[in-house]
Amino acid sequence: MAVGWIGTGRMGAAMIRRLGQGGVEDLVVWNRTRAKAEALGADGSVAVAERIADLAECEVVFTTVAGSADLERVITGPDGLLSRDDAAPAVIVDASTVSAEASAAVREAAASRGVAFLAAPVSGNAKVVAAGRLGFVVSGPEDAFRRVEPLLQLIADSVTYVGDDDSARLVKICHNLFLGVVTQSLAEILVLAEKGGISRAALLDFLNHSVLGSTFTRYKTPALVKLDYTPTFTPVLLRKDFDLGLDAAHDLDVPMPVAALVQQLVQGTISNGRGAEDFAVLLDQQAASAGLVLMPEDAEVDDGLAA
């Protein structure tokens, strides 16, 4: 089937490459910064569209954009995917993290054109995608999900269908709230251990081989040990997800005191001018609050993805 893709940033590009590696040959992409799309198609394996509306001729179109306003613009805007009277895709698969309200609005607009809309946010970043360890959580019409499931399985090793509505959005928001809380907790215990004379590498080695170890703690180990804050997911993006999550908690009358505190700590990294780095900078912020100056450790560690 012809597959279109809107958004070729770090995540979008990595996912597109997985489709190409999986044998999908008819790929057409669009990106706001055209040079990024052209770089992706430099070897001729991917075609670059002049306009978003050109992708309407594809059977399936994926979107990976930064936020709610971007999603609405690329789908329902004046030159958006649904702007043509003579063509529309059969299925739209949105892999962005956006609000339930924006998702519902786009779903309704798509339905009015006979287009199935799937909310399909992901767990992972570009390096996780490349390692084949990405996870999708998907909601929307089940027949549309079954139609595109083979494509999703080319990109990810975990694909979870959660129902015929926008429930995938809440699942992803819950995931990212937990992501922030876990990272802050890691920062706290690492600083505690280091002030007690224990290296970060040693604590993480023990943790990663315990019942509390996870794909995430292993993946973040090099960044936390080497203090490498090359961005995979920034505090600015994490703050957006905390805002969405705490809004949902307000609407559903769910107290979330720990998440509310972490939201302010994430805001602190941004206010201190570190919003463009990786969200693991929470470690530096925690160390500063404890009067500790961190240094990169010269230790052999890996991210656990190679296996």
Side-chain angles (χ1 to χ4, degrees), residues 15-28:
M15 295 162 79
I16 292 164
R17 291 189 186 99
R18 293 284 299 181
L19 285 180
Q21 293 164 1
V24 178
E25 297 179 351
D26 196 352
L27 279 165
V28 187

Side-chain angles (χ1 to χ4, degrees), residues 70-83 105-107 109-110:
D70 301 291
L71 178 65
E72 294 189 79
R73 185 181 69 253
V74 301
I75 302 298
T76 61
D79 189 42
L81 188 61
L82 300 178
S83 64
V106 172
R107 183 186 298 278

Side-chain angles (χ1 to χ4, degrees), residues 36-307:
K36 290 183 179 180
E38 289 175 338
L40 188 62
D43 61 359
S45 61
V46 176
V48 179
E50 291 289 335
R51 305 178 305 144
I52 297 174
D54 295 337
L55 301 181
E57 298 176 16
C58 297
E59 184 176 348
V60 177
V61 176
F62 286 79
T63 54
T64 45
V65 295
S68 299
D70 301 291
L71 178 65
E72 294 189 79
R73 185 181 69 253
V74 301
I75 302 298
T76 61
D79 189 42
L81 188 61
L82 300 178
S83 64
R84 291 174 56 177
D85 294 328
D86 63 334
V91 184
I92 297 171
V93 183
D94 177 53
S96 315
T97 301
V98 302
S99 69
E101 292 77 13
S103 186
V106 172
R107 183 186 298 278
E108 182 178 353
S112 71
R113 293 292 308 279
V115 177
F117 180 79
L118 295 173
V122 300
S123 172
N125 56 43
K127 190 170 183 180
V128 173
V129 176
R133 304 286 293 276
L134 191 73
F136 276 108
V137 56
V138 188
S139 62
E142 187 171 3
D143 58 342
F145 167 70
R146 298 303 173 193
R147 186 173 187 172
V148 304
E149 188 177 12
L151 295 174
L152 300 176
Q153 290 174 336
L154 290 177
I155 300 169
D157 73 338
S158 169
V159 180
T160 304
Y161 178 70
V162 293
D164 185 16
D165 51 28
D166 280 307
S167 54
R169 301 296 186 192
L170 182 57
V171 172
K172 178 57 189 298
I173 292 302
C174 291
H175 171 282
N176 281 12
L177 289 174
F178 190 45
L179 180 73
V181 169
V182 167
T183 304
Q184 175 60 28
S185 292
L186 274 174
E188 292 177 15
I189 63 169
L190 287 167
V191 168
L192 174 63
E194 186 158 345
K195 287 207 79 171
I198 300 162
S199 72
R200 299 189 301 278
L203 177 61
L204 284 164
D205 182 64
F206 172 72
L207 179 69
N208 289 338
H209 289 89
S210 76
V211 294
L212 292 176
S214 67
T215 299
F216 175 70
T217 63
R218 293 183 185 93
Y219 171 71
K220 275 299 177 192
T221 290
L224 296 170
V225 170
K226 305 294 186 181
L227 305 183
D228 179 1
Y229 300 130
T230 303
T232 60
F233 189 60
T234 66
V236 171
L237 293 175
L238 185 58
R239 178 181 62 181
K240 177 200 72 175
D241 294 346
F242 266 77
D243 290 345
L244 292 172
L246 292 175
D247 283 347
H250 176 273
D251 293 342
L252 295 170
D253 289 326
V254 177
M256 301 193 74
V258 175
L261 175 58
V262 173
Q263 180 195 42
Q264 293 304 303
L265 294 168
V266 172
Q267 177 62 57
T269 66
I270 298 167
S271 300
N272 287 325
R274 307 195 69 176
E277 299 177 72
D278 191 79
F279 69 105
V281 297
L282 285 165
L283 175 63
D284 275 7
Q285 181 169 266
Q286 180 66 26
S289 70
L292 180 66
V293 177
L294 299 180
M295 298 296 292
E297 293 180 4
D298 183 17
E300 292 286 336
V301 294
D302 66 68
D303 61 12
L305 294 179

